[in-house]
Amino acid sequence: MTNRAKNILAAAAMVVASTAFAQQGPAPTYGPLREPVPVPGAKPINVAGIDALKGDGIYYVNGTKIANLRAAATAGQGNRHALTETSEDAKSGTLNGQLDVGSYVLNGERRPRGRPNFAIPSTDGSVYLLYSAGENPLRIAVKVQAFDVSDLPIQSFLRTPENYPRQEAVRAGSTRFPANSVAYLVVARFVDDVLVLPAKESFTGATDTAQFVGNFSKQIPYCLSYEDRNGAKPYAMFFKTASKKGSVQLFPAKTGTLFCDRTSTEVAAEGEWEERTIGGTRAVVLSFPANVDPLDTGVSNVERESARIAFVQPTKGTPGVRPGKLYQAGAKIYDYQYRFNKTAADAIRDAIGAQ
């Protein structure tokens, strides 16, 4: 082969290699979700959060079950409007049902989230919901966006928290909302940094945070929860030990095994851990770079801007470090589901055969 032919082949190989690299592209990053976009034709109307809650209140349709949250017409001490919530499903609330929060942990003690007790209006039109009437209640700020949806198809407004059509939407067919129908989009924020535990807790085998970090910094990794889906990347995690903070290494994890194990010794990604005391409770809080999909660490899509994985150490009730989350003050919690006024909710009930 002549030198000229060799040079042509080498150049061609370089083109193929560079093309393959360009096609592969950089690793994906996972930033905040898009703001919910209203259904076309929905007309924004100016309704303060407290006004939406007064009277008949707002309604949430979950399958064939309906929940209702309403506020007292007049305020009591501290401009608090007492709230009443009813639900045909004991596990379903009108707001923030997309979050798996069984309890929040304050001063080492679990406090059931329960149902909101009071609403306090804000000057910007949002409303603060207080869970628990005692000291240091759980506080969630809620912004309500109202839309006139009269004569629009009901089917278009029956969405999941992550913006997919609900299964029951097909039953609505071509039925449209009657006059004076209002739909609401809700964006919530925790007012304070809050440690939470899920409704179904699991135990890590450690009695305190120091033991937890030590247990998973040697031979045995900790397998993070993940959403089982196409393209999922389960991770086995090792702590790099330090005094109160350090790094974590993520490895590809084996699935379907009784004990956590990794499939490779090659580090897939690195994150950080830090021991923090939040609301009088100690926890190990994790953070990961933008190229780690939150769905592969146990954080859902709708909370990925607000939640970080935390291993929480309650000191009262059932002890031991347990997987939970830290919800960060001021960060958005997305929800693509609509809530409705009574007129719209009654129309949905009739259209899909809800109870």
Side-chain angles (χ1 to χ4, degrees):
M1 181 180 294
T2 66
N3 288 336
R4 182 173 182 275
K6 290 179 181 179
N7 290 338
I8 291 173
L9 288 176
M14 290 178 64
V15 169
V16 170
S18 62
T19 301
F21 180 80
Q23 290 175 342
Q24 181 180 1
T29 58
Y30 304 92
L33 288 179
R34 288 176 54 200
E35 293 276 357
V37 176
V39 171
K43 301 173 184 176
I45 53 179
N46 188 19
V47 178
I50 193 63
D51 292 330
L53 290 169
K54 289 180 180 178
D56 293 319
I58 62 176
Y59 291 77
Y60 169 60
V61 180
N62 182 24
T64 60
K65 306 291 186 181
I66 292 181
N68 170 236
L69 180 65
R70 59 187 184 276
T74 57
Q77 184 178 7
N79 203 21
R80 295 183 174 191
H81 293 255
L83 291 173
T84 302
E85 185 169 44
T86 58
S87 176
E88 295 164 352
D89 179 1
K91 297 180 180 179
S92 179
T94 311
L95 299 173
N96 306 317
Q98 79 276 27
L99 302 180
D100 180 14
V101 177
S103 60
Y104 67 104
V105 188
L106 185 66
N107 296 323
E109 181 179 11
R110 296 171 181 83
R111 297 193 179 187
R113 184 184 71 171
R115 300 190 183 278
N117 300 95
F118 296 99
I120 301 175
S122 175
T123 55
D124 65 358
S126 62
V127 64
Y128 293 93
L129 301 184
L130 275 59
Y131 292 73
S132 172
E135 293 183 358
N136 301 311
L138 178 64
R139 302 184 296 169
I140 298 179
V142 172
K143 180 183 178 182
V144 177
Q145 298 172 285
F147 302 90
D148 182 349
V149 297
S150 303
D151 200 38
L152 293 179
I154 288 175
Q155 188 179 86
S156 302
F157 291 83
L158 301 180
R159 314 294 295 179
T160 68
E162 296 187 349
N163 206 22
Y164 296 103
R166 283 190 173 274
Q167 290 182 346
E168 64 273 14
V170 68
R171 281 187 259 161
S174 59
T175 306
R176 292 176 176 265
F177 285 111
N180 301 315
S181 293
V182 179
Y184 305 100
L185 283 173
V186 175
V187 177
R189 294 178 174 87
F190 281 82
V191 176
D192 311 288
D193 283 347
V194 178
L195 292 172
V196 303
L197 292 173
K200 292 184 179 180
E201 296 182 17
S202 57
F203 185 45
T204 62
T207 57
D208 57 39
T209 53
Q211 184 184 35
F212 172 73
V213 171
N215 286 350
F216 299 104
S217 62
K218 299 167 187 168
Q219 300 299 318
I220 302 174
Y222 181 90
C223 271
L224 293 166
S225 297
Y226 70 99
E227 182 182 284
D228 190 4
R229 68 199 190 283
N230 290 334
K233 296 180 180 179
Y235 288 119
M237 179 180 70
F238 281 98
F239 287 91
K240 303 294 286 184
T241 58
S243 177
K244 295 293 182 181
K245 62 181 180 180
S247 62
V248 292
Q249 293 182 329
L250 301 182
F251 298 84
K254 289 183 179 179
T255 58
T257 58
L258 182 60
F259 299 101
C260 185
D261 198 3
R262 54 186 172 177
T263 61
S264 169
T265 57
E266 184 176 347
V267 176
E270 290 198 10
E272 297 178 346
W273 70 270
E274 181 180 9
E275 184 183 281
R276 295 177 57 184
T277 299
I278 300 162
T281 303
R282 188 174 298 171
V284 171
V285 180
L286 305 182
S287 59
F288 299 104
N291 64 340
V292 174
D293 192 335
L295 297 181
D296 294 323
T297 68
V299 172
S300 71
N301 234 352
V302 296
E303 63 187 3
R304 72 187 191 195
E305 187 173 335
S306 58
R308 293 170 63 182
I309 296 300
F311 297 92
V312 185
Q313 181 186 324
T315 54
K316 301 173 185 176
T318 306
V321 175
R322 295 167 187 275
K325 290 172 184 172
L326 163 64
Y327 283 110
Q328 301 172 96
K332 294 179 182 178
I333 303 165
Y334 290 99
D335 192 349
Y336 293 83
Q337 301 171 107
Y338 284 87
R339 276 73 177 177
F340 306 93
N341 70 347
K342 187 176 188 302
T343 300
D346 286 345
I348 295 171
R349 187 190 299 265
D350 292 340
I352 69 173
Q355 296 180 4

